[in-house]
Amino acid sequence: EPDREGLPVIPETVGEWTGKFDRAGNRVYEDDIFYDCHRIEQHGAITYGEYMNPFNDDKFAGHVGFYVDWMTGAEKDISRKDLGFWCSLSRVIGNRWENPELLTN
């Protein structure tokens, strides 16, 4: 089905709005790619599901919701994932469908 501009829409690539805005005031959607502007250069995809922050190692610390799945950068494995924390520190620079190269080291 075409979008408002008459371009074809691939249903699998349509992400849900998270209800959040990035530091530039842009809406943040599922499958967008965040760039950490705070400390280090790292990219992550906005994902929905169950996640744990790296500093929570007990089984009761799991969360469900939108989170940043950090995929590149020196601190990708130790950076917290909760989306709300990153919205004022990061900005959307693309999405996983049109810019997959941003999610590889």
Side-chain angles (χ1 to χ4, degrees), residues 41-58:
E41 288 193 24
Q42 63 183 7
H43 299 120
I46 306 305
T47 305
Y48 182 84
E50 187 173 353
Y51 68 97
M52 290 185 66
N53 278 309
F55 47 82
N56 295 128
D57 59 358
D58 75 34

Side-chain angles (χ1 to χ4, degrees), residues 29-99:
Y29 289 89
E30 181 180 19
D31 295 322
D32 277 349
I33 297 174
F34 248 15
Y35 170 72
D36 173 8
C37 306
H38 177 59
R39 300 172 295 143
I40 57 168
E41 288 193 24
Q42 63 183 7
H43 299 120
I46 306 305
T47 305
Y48 182 84
E50 187 173 353
Y51 68 97
M52 290 185 66
N53 278 309
F55 47 82
N56 295 128
D57 59 358
D58 75 34
K59 63 183 176 183
F60 301 108
H63 306 278
V64 175
F66 289 105
Y67 66 97
V68 185
D69 186 10
W70 295 111
M71 297 182 177
T72 69
E75 295 186 13
K76 69 180 183 177
D77 295 328
I78 60 171
S79 291
R80 60 190 296 170
K81 297 182 176 190
D82 39 324
L83 178 61
F85 174 80
W86 290 105
C87 285
S88 65
L89 303 172
S90 302
R91 62 185 168 89
V92 173
I93 59 168
N95 64 63
R96 73 166 65 230
W97 308 110
E98 295 173 342
N99 314 101

